Amino acid sequence: MRPSGRTPQQLRPIKITRNYIRHPEGSVLIEFGHTKVICNASIEERTPRFLKDQGKGWITAEYGMLPRSTHQRMQREASSGRQGGRTQEIQRLIGRALRAVVDLHALGERTITLDCDVIQADGGTRTAAITGSYVALVDAVNSLIKKGTLKKNPIHGAVAAVSVGIYQGTPILDLEYLEDSEAETDMNIVMNDAGAYIEIQGTAEGHAFRADELQSLLNLAGEGVKTLLAAQQAALA
Amino acid sequence: MRPSGRTPQQLRPIKITRNYIRHPEGSVLIEFGHTKVICNASIEERTPRFLKDQGKGWITAEYGMLPRSTHQRMQREASSGRQGGRTQEIQRLIGRALRAVVDLHALGERTITLDCDVIQADGGTRTAAITGSYVALVDAVNSLIKKGTLKKNPIHGAVAAVSVGIYQGTPILDLEYLEDSEAETDMNIVMNDAGAYIEIQGTAEGHAFRADELQSLLNLAGEGVKTLLAAQQAALA
Amino acid sequence: MRPSGRTPQQLRPIKITRNYIRHPEGSVLIEFGHTKVICNASIEERTPRFLKDQGKGWITAEYGMLPRSTHQRMQREASSGRQGGRTQEIQRLIGRALRAVVDLHALGERTITLDCDVIQADGGTRTAAITGSYVALVDAVNSLIKKGTLKKNPIHGAVAAVSVGIYQGTPILDLEYLEDSEAETDMNIVMNDAGAYIEIQGTAEGHAFRADELQSLLNLAGEGVKTLLAAQQAALA
Amino acid sequence: MRPSGRTPQQLRPIKITRNYIRHPEGSVLIEFGHTKVICNASIEERTPRFLKDQGKGWITAEYGMLPRSTHQRMQREASSGRQGGRTQEIQRLIGRALRAVVDLHALGERTITLDCDVIQADGGTRTAAITGSYVALVDAVNSLIKKGTLKKNPIHGAVAAVSVGIYQGTPILDLEYLEDSEAETDMNIVMNDAGAYIEIQGTAEGHAFRADELQSLLNLAGEGVKTLLAAQQAALA
Amino acid sequence: MRPSGRTPQQLRPIKITRNYIRHPEGSVLIEFGHTKVICNASIEERTPRFLKDQGKGWITAEYGMLPRSTHQRMQREASSGRQGGRTQEIQRLIGRALRAVVDLHALGERTITLDCDVIQADGGTRTAAITGSYVALVDAVNSLIKKGTLKKNPIHGAVAAVSVGIYQGTPILDLEYLEDSEAETDMNIVMNDAGAYIEIQGTAEGHAFRADELQSLLNLAGEGVKTLLAAQQAALA
Amino acid sequence: MRPSGRTPQQLRPIKITRNYIRHPEGSVLIEFGHTKVICNASIEERTPRFLKDQGKGWITAEYGMLPRSTHQRMQREASSGRQGGRTQEIQRLIGRALRAVVDLHALGERTITLDCDVIQADGGTRTAAITGSYVALVDAVNSLIKKGTLKKNPIHGAVAAVSVGIYQGTPILDLEYLEDSEAETDMNIVMNDAGAYIEIQGTAEGHAFRADELQSLLNLAGEGVKTLLAAQQAALA
């Protein structure tokens, strides 16, 4: 039924490449099938103004797509002069997801920025970005521990994300572009390694979803996230 | 336990005033306790470029807050020169919620814009905006039917929204500002009059929520939305 | 002759509602007939950079219109990314008018911002904004006096504003939209309670006005402002 | 009493140089003492969108100051990315002033833009800009008449402008910078060659002005404008 | 003498990977040592407005750097709201370089956009971008020929670019970051396969260069470009 | 052969007027034939952030064109809200050219900004701007020496610029607009008074240029710059 021949509960092949770019403190290329996102973690020894003198740090994210990461060329946001609403939603989501597993006081007065740049898009770019950014964040924090700057690891859990949706009447896991563009319901689920929810974003433009459909989607997502968390650990090992 | 003395499953007093502003085709002042939002529906006989020659219409929304609708004055977005990420997220959400109950082909090649302007904020502005906008939309569509422009009503359901959250360990309904700013988990639920979900947006920055907590929150929201849908019908009667 | 049946020298019904919004230090809804403007005064304990270390305060204003305050929906300035020339002219005018009755040294190093938001427009929004802002400003300053922050009242006079114009050859007071859009000459007059002029802005796009017409307009405005000043005092009593 | 030794009713030396820049259809350098403004008139054979298919033309203006036209260098507006409120007020004023003496239907579906660029500022830049732009406009219109494009002259009057103010208690004409920066009241008056008012803009930030003071200022302005209108005619002869 | 141990006339290792991203009509990853640039060619069947109805096409380029392609994180241009002067200079340069080898009439009324995105920077990003874009352009044009859209190849030559500079008194080829940041003179040379110059951009902020130094630099560049042109042909074979 | 009747190696008449505008520390009107550029030098006793606490100063430039300095009216950059790529390239070029002859440590912690505003354009505006700015810079620095602020002259050379190009197959010097718009190759050369190159920018959109053509152009430029350097000295004498 799925264009790729996958079963409804099957993820695409996941590939996580660490140390992808030379300069960042953490750098990951994550691939969910044909979706490819570079996640770079940068440490800066200062915090945003709203945290001034609070003795804590900050984790934030920025998201972008290369103009031709998509089937049709999109306008470059740097050239249009503003980041669109979708971009802002996604980068806010990534930031919240990662902050949910970090003790900001233990991080100290510094900022870690996750730059998530999609070089090839085929659905699920935001969930790939969250899943890959976690690995880049761990590498960045470990560099601080290694240098002795941090005594204690401020990361107290793991986080990964996956999309689920109802496609041709069937709940499926990890939608690719062809599925995503036709899905009646689309949901992104961010979970931690304790099996709890950090973020649930579900949308039904056409067809509202019933409580039992919601339950199926949550179950699918739970299994998918478990596999992704394992892939992160394998990459970090 | 709640600052207002409400029970966990108790909504704030709801007040819906129709024909609030003279000029719009639909105009509602909606109050969720101290939260007050003006929802104006404007009809324009043209559609956005991306719908050109598709024989269908569009429903969209814009959201704003008066600079001093909040406890502290916020910068005016017109003056800062850009709508922030939160604003964009909310106006995209309102648009999706309303489109979920409208047959855009039956609407014809016209656009209805819902302008949701918060004049006083005390938590729950986006759920009030959705709930009030539905009433303004019905009034606007009825004006088209009355004039004979539309033969058939393109609205095929009702939609309302409410927030739920975990506050001091307890799931509660319809958070006001004091609760919202302290809640461990915050969720906005948009549902239709068939009891199905149109949108679920749940976030846990501090404390991730378990499946059973999610269930409690969904139950609370279901009851809250029922009451709101009834309030809409009463106002429209 | 006038669409409303008013005599040339007749104001529309004036209504001033204090404490309209909960959060601001001063908040007024002012109505000149169908024109409705919310005037919120916000106190901030800092001054703009150009006044740094000068031992004096600042009064400033911002002006906006809800997109559907008008007959046709206007584009939201926050969305277009810039405040238009008309908006900037009006907010500069409101700020100058209020500063003319305040001793900025006696105010101390703080800023009071008047946010004037038109929720329904029917001509005369800038004169309503000035007249209502004065009342909001008095309430805000009184809150500082009550708290003991200010020992001495820095407000040394009252200010109100009204429009006058030549409509179908006759000088009239307080133009509503239908009159304004047809008037040959349009003038906004800001005066204090000593009967002196703070600001005169008169424009004749079509028909230039003679000295005797100017005199008639100034006389009409003088009477109108007197009534408005009395309405302010009544509201403040 | 005046820094320059002028009498209260004395204008600065006026100099009007036609054909100052080669390319424009009308080009004038106007000097009011040390204030120097280049006024270029450009004809384009199209009208703004809001005039589409109305069979009439448009006169508009843009205003700018070279960054070092002033005592202290100002930021270049092209570099700051927006035209300030003062700039917008002035260019709107210039446009209205010139439209007041032109029959836009007789002009036909074309636009004449007056670019007023201040190369040296010493007070009165907007009144110099209006006075000089009139001459540039006449030259541009004459070029259309000469080419046979226009059969009938659409200009039905002359317009000039001057500033007046109360300086050290005395009403004076044509304020230079030193006077302007200290004046208690500042007024710009635009009049036509019939002695009627096109625009009056008077402001009293510090000291409100009485009716008799207003009368003195209007009288001074009337005499000043007469001299300026004569200087325009002499330049055009 | 060079940090990498290269001889003055030695290029870094060049690697050209075609079909790097799935969606574009031409897609190349080019590496000059540690400098890595993705060059994507996108075909659109329309031309910019200034070419309307001229029967010819257009080649243009956009350039960007991932925020952490550099040693220190740079602000994302999409977030700052404008492309900086350096970005604009580079993208204009890339566009001119490619247009120099294309017959725009033979291309027909279509636009090919080269998006050059630096994912890792170590000096020479603009010369790598030009050299890689040529290969992507050839692939995009060949896709049009293969589909039969183009009968005749509009590309009439090859183009490549390299940097040269004076580092510690010695003329060197293909500067990496450490050399670039210290060089006294920095020059980018764009040449075609006939050995002629398309663009020369040489800058000496500190030390002006003599005619004989210029000659040495031009000679070095000529040899470097020959090698790059050969690498392009090898990749395209 | 040349439209003006000039020989290939002939400059247009050069005219340099010092003290053109009253307020700047240095002010020059430079004319290359019909090209007229005002170059104003402004001294500010602070440096940009990136030079903070480095004990050195900065020389920078801004460039603009009056909207009707050209044959067709261009949009005003202040009104479009951004400086175009060409403007940014030119102002960066002017800044680099002048910094090449100044010892920034000897200048001390201050900034000199050169505002180059083209009031009439006929080709060669950037080379005129560099040549004129040098004179304005000398005047500004001399004002600091005269006041005793600077003990030692930080300017250690002279700089001038000229354009060369291949027009109808012949290398020519100092292109005017008619030549520039048709030239096959266009090059701007900035040199110092030691005959060394500070900047070379050569572009061939249509026809690539051979090494021998480059040599001819460099020779022409060398002679042209010598004449310009002499004109600067004569003006400064």
Side-chain angles (χ1 to χ4, degrees), chain F residues 24-25 35 56-57 63 65 72 105 131 134 136 147 164-165 194-195 223:
Chain F
E25 284 75 30
T35 289
K56 58 194 264 199
Y63 172 92
M65 299 181 85
Q72 306 297 320
H105 283 95
T131 306
Y134 174 73
K147 284 198 298 180
V164 286
E223 292 305 309

PDB file of all heavy atoms in Angstrom, chain F residues 24-25 35 56-57 63 65 72 105 131 134 136 147 164-165 194-195 223:
ATOM      1  N   PRO F  24      30.354  69.235   6.652  1.00  0.00           N
ATOM      2  CA  PRO F  24      31.308  68.126   6.834  1.00  0.00           C
ATOM      3  C   PRO F  24      32.732  68.604   7.106  1.00  0.00           C
ATOM      4  O   PRO F  24      33.103  69.715   6.727  1.00  0.00           O
ATOM      5  CB  PRO F  24      31.244  67.378   5.494  1.00  0.00           C
ATOM      6  CG  PRO F  24      29.995  67.838   4.826  1.00  0.00           C
ATOM      7  CD  PRO F  24      29.776  69.242   5.301  1.00  0.00           C
ATOM      8  N   GLU F  25      33.521  67.740   7.692  1.00  0.00           N
ATOM      9  CA  GLU F  25      34.932  68.051   7.953  1.00  0.00           C
ATOM     10  C   GLU F  25      35.719  68.082   6.647  1.00  0.00           C
ATOM     11  O   GLU F  25      36.775  68.711   6.564  1.00  0.00           O
ATOM     12  CB  GLU F  25      35.515  67.024   8.932  1.00  0.00           C
ATOM     13  CG  GLU F  25      35.064  67.270  10.368  1.00  0.00           C
ATOM     14  CD  GLU F  25      33.612  66.857  10.618  1.00  0.00           C
ATOM     15  OE1 GLU F  25      33.139  65.914   9.956  1.00  0.00           O
ATOM     16  OE2 GLU F  25      32.965  67.488  11.477  1.00  0.00           O
ATOM     17  N   THR F  35      29.476  63.383 -15.085  1.00  0.00           N
ATOM     18  CA  THR F  35      29.302  62.655 -13.824  1.00  0.00           C
ATOM     19  C   THR F  35      29.681  63.565 -12.655  1.00  0.00           C
ATOM     20  O   THR F  35      30.783  64.115 -12.637  1.00  0.00           O
ATOM     21  CB  THR F  35      30.168  61.380 -13.822  1.00  0.00           C
ATOM     22  OG1 THR F  35      29.589  60.452 -14.745  1.00  0.00           O
ATOM     23  CG2 THR F  35      30.240  60.739 -12.447  1.00  0.00           C
ATOM     24  N   LYS F  56      42.777  51.390  17.285  1.00  0.00           N
ATOM     25  CA  LYS F  56      42.879  51.877  15.925  1.00  0.00           C
ATOM     26  C   LYS F  56      41.548  52.396  15.406  1.00  0.00           C
ATOM     27  O   LYS F  56      40.497  52.112  15.989  1.00  0.00           O
ATOM     28  CB  LYS F  56      43.439  50.786  14.995  1.00  0.00           C
ATOM     29  CG  LYS F  56      42.628  49.514  14.974  1.00  0.00           C
ATOM     30  CD  LYS F  56      43.402  48.363  14.313  1.00  0.00           C
ATOM     31  CE  LYS F  56      43.035  48.227  12.860  1.00  0.00           C
ATOM     32  NZ  LYS F  56      43.387  46.915  12.310  1.00  0.00           N
ATOM     33  N   GLY F  57      41.605  53.142  14.345  1.00  0.00           N
ATOM     34  CA  GLY F  57      40.401  53.755  13.795  1.00  0.00           C
ATOM     35  C   GLY F  57      39.885  53.030  12.582  1.00  0.00           C
ATOM     36  O   GLY F  57      40.317  51.914  12.257  1.00  0.00           O
ATOM     37  N   TYR F  63      27.482  54.886  -0.318  1.00  0.00           N
ATOM     38  CA  TYR F  63      27.293  55.352  -1.689  1.00  0.00           C
ATOM     39  C   TYR F  63      25.811  55.400  -1.986  1.00  0.00           C
ATOM     40  O   TYR F  63      25.054  54.535  -1.530  1.00  0.00           O
ATOM     41  CB  TYR F  63      27.986  54.359  -2.631  1.00  0.00           C
ATOM     42  CG  TYR F  63      27.754  54.548  -4.116  1.00  0.00           C
ATOM     43  CD1 TYR F  63      28.624  55.320  -4.883  1.00  0.00           C
ATOM     44  CD2 TYR F  63      26.684  53.939  -4.755  1.00  0.00           C
ATOM     45  CE1 TYR F  63      28.430  55.458  -6.259  1.00  0.00           C
ATOM     46  CE2 TYR F  63      26.479  54.078  -6.127  1.00  0.00           C
ATOM     47  CZ  TYR F  63      27.354  54.839  -6.873  1.00  0.00           C
ATOM     48  OH  TYR F  63      27.166  54.974  -8.224  1.00  0.00           O
ATOM     49  N   MET F  65      22.749  57.046  -5.070  1.00  0.00           N
ATOM     50  CA  MET F  65      22.480  57.835  -6.265  1.00  0.00           C
ATOM     51  C   MET F  65      21.149  58.542  -6.065  1.00  0.00           C
ATOM     52  O   MET F  65      20.177  57.914  -5.622  1.00  0.00           O
ATOM     53  CB  MET F  65      22.371  56.924  -7.491  1.00  0.00           C
ATOM     54  CG  MET F  65      23.650  56.148  -7.770  1.00  0.00           C
ATOM     55  SD  MET F  65      23.495  55.097  -9.261  1.00  0.00           S
ATOM     56  CE  MET F  65      23.929  56.299 -10.539  1.00  0.00           C
ATOM     57  N   GLN F  72      16.815  57.255 -16.722  1.00  0.00           N
ATOM     58  CA  GLN F  72      15.490  56.859 -16.244  1.00  0.00           C
ATOM     59  C   GLN F  72      15.497  56.981 -14.734  1.00  0.00           C
ATOM     60  O   GLN F  72      16.494  56.676 -14.097  1.00  0.00           O
ATOM     61  CB  GLN F  72      15.201  55.392 -16.608  1.00  0.00           C
ATOM     62  CG  GLN F  72      15.349  55.059 -18.071  1.00  0.00           C
ATOM     63  CD  GLN F  72      14.365  55.834 -18.919  1.00  0.00           C
ATOM     64  OE1 GLN F  72      13.213  56.006 -18.530  1.00  0.00           O
ATOM     65  NE2 GLN F  72      14.812  56.321 -20.069  1.00  0.00           N
ATOM     66  N   HIS F 105      46.146  52.784  12.905  1.00  0.00           N
ATOM     67  CA  HIS F 105      46.600  53.015  14.283  1.00  0.00           C
ATOM     68  C   HIS F 105      46.911  54.487  14.497  1.00  0.00           C
ATOM     69  O   HIS F 105      46.578  55.061  15.530  1.00  0.00           O
ATOM     70  CB  HIS F 105      47.818  52.142  14.594  1.00  0.00           C
ATOM     71  CG  HIS F 105      47.450  50.720  14.856  1.00  0.00           C
ATOM     72  ND1 HIS F 105      47.486  49.740  13.878  1.00  0.00           N
ATOM     73  CD2 HIS F 105      46.970  50.102  15.974  1.00  0.00           C
ATOM     74  CE1 HIS F 105      47.081  48.592  14.394  1.00  0.00           C
ATOM     75  NE2 HIS F 105      46.756  48.779  15.661  1.00  0.00           N
ATOM     76  N   THR F 131      38.173  58.926  -6.243  1.00  0.00           N
ATOM     77  CA  THR F 131      39.108  60.025  -6.498  1.00  0.00           C
ATOM     78  C   THR F 131      38.727  61.276  -5.694  1.00  0.00           C
ATOM     79  O   THR F 131      39.591  61.938  -5.116  1.00  0.00           O
ATOM     80  CB  THR F 131      39.154  60.329  -8.013  1.00  0.00           C
ATOM     81  OG1 THR F 131      39.462  59.104  -8.703  1.00  0.00           O
ATOM     82  CG2 THR F 131      40.190  61.375  -8.350  1.00  0.00           C
ATOM     83  N   TYR F 134      39.194  60.840  -1.726  1.00  0.00           N
ATOM     84  CA  TYR F 134      40.556  61.021  -1.211  1.00  0.00           C
ATOM     85  C   TYR F 134      40.779  62.475  -0.810  1.00  0.00           C
ATOM     86  O   TYR F 134      41.342  62.765   0.245  1.00  0.00           O
ATOM     87  CB  TYR F 134      41.597  60.581  -2.247  1.00  0.00           C
ATOM     88  CG  TYR F 134      42.989  60.899  -1.795  1.00  0.00           C
ATOM     89  CD1 TYR F 134      43.583  60.151  -0.776  1.00  0.00           C
ATOM     90  CD2 TYR F 134      43.691  61.976  -2.321  1.00  0.00           C
ATOM     91  CE1 TYR F 134      44.843  60.464  -0.311  1.00  0.00           C
ATOM     92  CE2 TYR F 134      44.955  62.295  -1.861  1.00  0.00           C
ATOM     93  CZ  TYR F 134      45.532  61.542  -0.853  1.00  0.00           C
ATOM     94  OH  TYR F 134      46.770  61.855  -0.376  1.00  0.00           O
ATOM     95  N   ALA F 136      38.498  64.712   0.012  1.00  0.00           N
ATOM     96  CA  ALA F 136      37.684  65.022   1.205  1.00  0.00           C
ATOM     97  C   ALA F 136      38.323  64.441   2.456  1.00  0.00           C
ATOM     98  O   ALA F 136      38.317  65.061   3.527  1.00  0.00           O
ATOM     99  CB  ALA F 136      36.268  64.478   1.025  1.00  0.00           C
ATOM    100  N   LYS F 147      43.535  71.134  14.603  1.00  0.00           N
ATOM    101  CA  LYS F 147      43.014  71.262  15.973  1.00  0.00           C
ATOM    102  C   LYS F 147      43.968  70.663  17.000  1.00  0.00           C
ATOM    103  O   LYS F 147      43.735  70.771  18.196  1.00  0.00           O
ATOM    104  CB  LYS F 147      41.670  70.504  16.096  1.00  0.00           C
ATOM    105  CG  LYS F 147      40.490  71.214  15.485  1.00  0.00           C
ATOM    106  CD  LYS F 147      39.173  70.643  16.011  1.00  0.00           C
ATOM    107  CE  LYS F 147      39.004  69.178  15.643  1.00  0.00           C
ATOM    108  NZ  LYS F 147      37.741  68.612  16.131  1.00  0.00           N
ATOM    109  N   VAL F 164      38.511  51.567 -17.318  1.00  0.00           N
ATOM    110  CA  VAL F 164      38.973  51.294 -18.676  1.00  0.00           C
ATOM    111  C   VAL F 164      38.082  50.201 -19.257  1.00  0.00           C
ATOM    112  O   VAL F 164      37.384  49.506 -18.512  1.00  0.00           O
ATOM    113  CB  VAL F 164      40.458  50.832 -18.698  1.00  0.00           C
ATOM    114  CG1 VAL F 164      41.395  51.989 -18.440  1.00  0.00           C
ATOM    115  CG2 VAL F 164      40.695  49.715 -17.680  1.00  0.00           C
ATOM    116  N   GLY F 165      38.079  50.063 -20.573  1.00  0.00           N
ATOM    117  CA  GLY F 165      37.233  49.025 -21.150  1.00  0.00           C
ATOM    118  C   GLY F 165      37.540  48.840 -22.609  1.00  0.00           C
ATOM    119  O   GLY F 165      38.284  49.631 -23.203  1.00  0.00           O
ATOM    120  N   ALA F 194      52.475  55.437  -5.867  1.00  0.00           N
ATOM    121  CA  ALA F 194      53.700  54.702  -6.186  1.00  0.00           C
ATOM    122  C   ALA F 194      53.499  53.849  -7.437  1.00  0.00           C
ATOM    123  O   ALA F 194      54.352  53.037  -7.791  1.00  0.00           O
ATOM    124  CB  ALA F 194      54.082  53.816  -4.996  1.00  0.00           C
ATOM    125  N   GLY F 195      52.348  54.006  -8.070  1.00  0.00           N
ATOM    126  CA  GLY F 195      52.086  53.248  -9.290  1.00  0.00           C
ATOM    127  C   GLY F 195      51.716  51.793  -9.039  1.00  0.00           C
ATOM    128  O   GLY F 195      51.709  50.982  -9.963  1.00  0.00           O
ATOM    129  N   GLU F 223      48.199  55.553 -16.933  1.00  0.00           N
ATOM    130  CA  GLU F 223      48.321  56.947 -17.365  1.00  0.00           C
ATOM    131  C   GLU F 223      47.174  57.794 -16.810  1.00  0.00           C
ATOM    132  O   GLU F 223      47.380  58.919 -16.361  1.00  0.00           O
ATOM    133  CB  GLU F 223      48.336  57.031 -18.908  1.00  0.00           C
ATOM    134  CG  GLU F 223      49.591  56.442 -19.537  1.00  0.00           C
ATOM    135  CD  GLU F 223      50.865  57.070 -18.960  1.00  0.00           C
ATOM    136  OE1 GLU F 223      50.950  58.307 -18.925  1.00  0.00           O
ATOM    137  OE2 GLU F 223      51.749  56.292 -18.514  1.00  0.00           O
TER     138      GLU F 223
END
